[in-house]
């Protein structure tokens, strides 16, 4: 399959959306159906934006990353996974970096 940049963006954004829908479902279940979308969006907006930017950047530089070229027909699935995992990975590593910096101070 020939993946266009627009299709890869859609796959990546779909992964970001899937990740957030799963988080919203988890919160909704914990709160017995009293989920507040506005509150969630207010808390998560920056990590969602960062995830979308990461997907966009990877679409732009995909030809420079050999591992992405090697997966060939699985490229769409890879971008869904990148979009899905971007938020979790960024938050985890940003939290670790913050803790390391605070420990040094």
């Amino acid at each position: 399959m020939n993946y266009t940049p627009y299709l890869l963006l859609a796959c990546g954004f779909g992964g970001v959306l899937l990740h957030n829908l799963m988080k919203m479902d988890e919160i909704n279940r914990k709160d017995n159906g009293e989920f507040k979308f506005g509150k969630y969006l207010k808390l998560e907006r920056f990590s969602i934006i960062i995830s979308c930017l990461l997907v966009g950047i990877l679409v732009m530089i995909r030809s420079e990353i050999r591992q992405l070229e090697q997966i060939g027909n699985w490229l769409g699935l890879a971008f869904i996974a990148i979009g899905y995992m971007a938020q979790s990975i960024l938050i985890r590593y940003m939290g670790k970096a913050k803790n390391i910096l605070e420990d040094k101070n």
Side-chain angles (χ1 to χ4, degrees), residues 9-61:
L9 272 175
C11 288
F13 291 159
V16 172
L17 179 62
L18 180 63
H19 180 267
N20 282 286
L21 287 172
M22 291 181 73
K23 283 176 64 175
M24 286 185 258
D25 180 57
E26 180 182 329
I27 294 167
N28 190 47
R29 289 177 189 275
K30 285 181 184 176
D31 293 344
N32 296 320
E34 297 296 324
F35 176 75
K36 306 276 192 263
F37 181 73
K39 183 178 178 183
Y40 177 82
L41 195 57
K42 188 175 181 180
L43 290 172
E44 294 290 331
R45 66 182 178 246
F46 296 114
S47 60
I48 294 169
I49 292 168
I50 290 169
S51 297
C52 291
L53 286 173
L54 180 65
V55 168
I57 290 167
L58 288 176
V59 167
M60 288 188 293
I61 64 170

